[in-house]
């Protein structure tokens, strides 16, 4: 792989750490849709808890099925229901657990005629399994695509009506009550499916509008950046390059020639850095000790007074200035995060430099409450852009380990990387 291809691969990897607007604002994993899904799961869990409790208490009273069937049917129904309620509360594995209950409940209904065979039928007494009809339909809202939601909303109440008529041997007194029960379940189920579809459609539209706004902003920002770059290059040509050329043309003495060479070298350095962030600085070599000094200085500017611990062996090779600046900025962002979100609890910074293999490692550690990186909103770029992408862009590596006992950020660069 050539040097240009290697550099492009590193930059592509750095860009991959930043969530792209279309991917982060459309679909199930989007900003608004994710929150709507969480709200729906909480509301469904609360309603299912109420109806499930009512069904369970009713099942403890004299029941219509035979004793040999009663406990297996209850286990077959309430165990998946309990798993779904826990999943809705925790916000994890909701689709899987809801899907299991949505399938288990119709299976229990299919067994109901066999479970009640030979018993005394009562058309006016609702069996405990009736209270879970709409719990099964709303579980399909959490688990299935829209087409299957509609099918389940119609299929489950009708199946309940059929098994109740089989239990009552299709006697006339059963038809009236069963028709009312099925009609009520169909209407309520249809309303629940419709509400779920409406909320999800609104969330998708909001995310689509947000994606278009972000893309428009990105286009405007790119145009502004291009204009700023044009102005910067024009100013550079006027202030540095032309000045160096004029100095070279007028140089007659050795001292004037030395000054002209120095001006030309500075102009070439600035030209080489025009495509870099203005904050990245020049590419003059820097040693590991200067990194520690810069981190202390940057932390002080944030109002954080901290002494950087140094474990730097002699003959640690220097690194390009742009790489040093990127590591300092990434470490400063980690310090800012620790100060803001962990209150600076147990904050410590270590700069470790070694000669063989030549590398520099920066560790920022705190003893705060920690966080889950996967649950950080996509539009918060303090970690993804200012730490991961920045370090990756200069050929370094970064990692974050966080748990309830604290957070550790590790930044590393090895000699030989671009």
């Amino acid at each position: 792989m050539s040097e240009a291809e290697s550099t492009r691969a590193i930059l592509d990897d750095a860009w991959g750490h930043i969530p792209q607007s279309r991917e982060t604002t459309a679909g199930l994993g989007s900003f608004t849709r994710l929150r709507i899904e969480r709200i729906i799961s909480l509301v469904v869990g609360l309603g299912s808890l109420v109806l499930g409790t009512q069904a369970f208490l009713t099942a403890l009273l004299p029941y219509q099925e035979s004793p040999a069937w009663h406990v297996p049917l209850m286990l077959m129904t309430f165990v998946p229901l309990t798993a779904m309620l826990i999943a809705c509360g925790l916000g994890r594995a909701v689709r899987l657990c809801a899907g299991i209950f949505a399938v288990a409940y119709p299976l229990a209904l299919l067994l109901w005629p066999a479970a009640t065979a030979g018993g005394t039928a009562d058309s006016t007494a609702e069996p405990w399994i009736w209270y879970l009809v709409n719990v099964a339909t709303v579980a399909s809202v959490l688990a299935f695509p829209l087409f299957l939601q509609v099918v389940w909303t119609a299929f489950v109440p009708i199946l309940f009506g059929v098994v109740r008529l089989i239990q009552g041997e299709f006697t006339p007194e059963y038809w009236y009550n069963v028709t009312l029960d099925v009609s009520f379940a169909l209407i309520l189920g249809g309303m629940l499916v419709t509400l779920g579809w409406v909320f999800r459609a609104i969330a998708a539209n909001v995310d689509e509008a947000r994606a278009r706004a972000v893309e428009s902003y990105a286009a405007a920002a790119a145009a502004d950046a291009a204009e700023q770059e044009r102005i910067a290059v024009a100013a550079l040509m006027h202030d540095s390059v032309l000045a160096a050329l004029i100095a070279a043309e007028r140089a007659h003495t050795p001292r004037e020639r030395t000054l002209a060479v120095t001006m030309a070298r500075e102009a070439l350095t600035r030209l080489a850095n025009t495509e870099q962030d203005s904050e990245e600085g020049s590419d003059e070599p820097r040693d590991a000790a200067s990194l520690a000094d810069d981190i202390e200085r940057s932390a002080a500017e944030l109002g954080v007074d901290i002494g950087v611990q140094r474990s730097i062996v002699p003959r640690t090779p220097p690194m390009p200035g742009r790489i040093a600046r990127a590591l300092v900025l990434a470490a400063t962002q980690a310090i800012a995060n620790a100060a803001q979100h962990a209150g600076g609890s147990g904050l410590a910074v270590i700069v470790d430099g070694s000669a063989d293999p030549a590398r520099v490692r920066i560790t920022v550690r705190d003893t705060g409450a920690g966080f889950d990186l996967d649950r950080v909103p996509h539009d918060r770029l303090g970690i993804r852009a200012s730490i991961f992408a920045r370090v990756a862009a200069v050929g370094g590596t970064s990692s974050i380990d966080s748990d309830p006992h604290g957070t550790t950020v590790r930044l590393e660069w090895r000699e030989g990387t671009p």
Side-chain angles (χ1 to χ4, degrees):
M1 179 182 295
S2 66
E3 182 178 351
E5 292 174 343
S6 177
T7 302
R8 185 178 297 109
I10 292 173
L11 292 176
D12 289 343
D13 177 68
W15 181 250
H17 285 84
I18 304 177
Q20 307 303 304
S21 61
R22 180 68 62 177
E23 295 175 0
T24 57
T25 54
L28 183 59
S30 65
F31 185 80
T32 307
R33 178 68 180 270
L34 201 62
R35 284 151 180 77
I36 288 294
E37 291 294 334
R38 182 64 180 136
I39 293 172
I40 292 176
S41 65
L42 287 174
V43 173
V44 168
L46 181 60
S48 299
L49 176 63
V50 173
L51 292 176
T53 301
Q54 186 177 7
F56 183 78
L57 294 177
T58 304
L60 298 179
L61 300 174
Y63 42 84
Q64 300 179 13
E65 65 271 28
S66 65
W69 281 94
H70 182 62
V71 173
L73 280 177
M74 287 189 65
L75 292 175
M76 185 177 181
T77 304
F78 287 107
V79 170
L81 175 60
T82 302
M84 186 184 82
L85 295 177
I86 295 174
C88 289
L90 297 178
R92 296 180 180 274
V94 174
R95 176 173 293 183
L96 174 63
C97 295
I100 292 175
F101 176 75
V103 173
Y105 181 78
L107 294 178
L109 281 179
L110 290 173
L111 296 175
W112 189 258
T116 57
T120 302
D122 186 354
S123 62
T124 60
E126 299 291 0
W128 60 266
I129 204 169
W130 150 251
Y131 298 99
L132 301 177
V133 171
N134 283 121
V135 176
T137 60
V138 81
S140 70
V141 174
L142 298 177
F144 302 148
L146 182 61
F147 172 75
L148 285 180
Q149 293 175 30
V150 175
V151 171
W152 232 248
T153 300
F155 168 70
V156 174
I158 292 175
L159 178 61
F160 172 81
V162 171
V163 299
R164 282 287 283 164
L165 290 175
I166 293 175
Q167 178 188 0
E169 298 179 348
F170 294 92
T171 54
E173 60 268 20
Y174 259 82
W175 280 94
Y176 178 75
N177 290 329
V178 169
T179 301
L180 289 180
D181 291 343
V182 172
S183 300
F184 174 80
L186 287 172
I187 293 172
L188 181 57
M191 292 176 58
L192 295 174
V193 170
T194 302
L195 288 174
W197 173 77
V198 168
F199 286 134
R200 284 168 172 161
I202 292 174
N205 290 335
V206 169
D207 286 329
E208 184 65 23
R210 178 173 175 266
R212 288 196 297 268
V214 170
E215 290 174 355
S216 298
Y217 175 80
D224 180 70
E227 178 63 16
Q228 293 296 329
E229 182 178 2
R230 185 191 66 80
I231 294 173
V233 171
L236 173 61
M237 292 294 293
H238 180 272
D239 296 340
S240 297
V241 178
L242 291 179
L245 291 174
I246 292 172
E249 190 270 335
R250 296 178 179 179
H252 299 293
T253 67
R255 184 177 180 278
E256 290 174 343
R257 293 190 183 95
T258 301
L259 177 61
V261 169
T262 302
M263 292 176 65
R265 183 182 296 113
E266 178 64 22
L268 290 174
T269 300
R270 292 184 64 185
L271 279 173
N273 291 333
T274 52
E275 293 185 357
Q276 301 177 19
D277 191 322
S278 60
E279 295 183 353
E280 299 296 345
S282 69
D283 220 16
E284 291 295 324
R286 304 284 300 280
D287 57 27
S290 67
L291 260 68
D293 296 335
D294 288 347
I295 292 173
E296 288 181 349
R297 189 179 305 110
S298 299
E301 293 174 357
L302 295 174
V304 179
D305 186 14
I306 185 172
V308 177
Q309 303 177 40
R310 307 165 192 232
S311 178
I312 304 171
V313 302
R315 304 186 311 279
T316 300
M319 69 183 67
R322 62 185 179 86
I323 295 175
R325 184 60 176 161
L327 293 176
V328 169
L329 290 174
T332 302
Q333 181 64 48
I335 294 172
N337 290 345
Q340 179 180 359
H341 301 293
S345 174
L347 180 60
V349 182
I350 303 171
V351 174
D352 177 77
S354 66
D356 187 20
R359 65 165 175 77
V360 174
R361 177 183 295 164
I362 302 174
T363 303
V364 181
R365 182 182 298 113
D366 67 68
T367 57
F371 66 99
D372 185 355
L373 180 60
D374 293 334
R375 299 178 74 86
V376 175
H378 295 305
D379 59 341
R380 302 293 295 275
L381 303 181
I383 292 176
R384 293 182 175 91
S386 298
I387 296 179
F388 284 148
R390 182 183 293 278
V391 175
V394 295
T397 59
S398 55
S399 65
I400 295 181
D401 297 322
S402 187
D403 57 37
H405 303 293
T407 300
T408 300
V409 180
R410 296 181 180 87
L411 315 173
E412 183 171 315
W413 177 84
R414 292 178 180 270
E415 188 180 38
T417 54

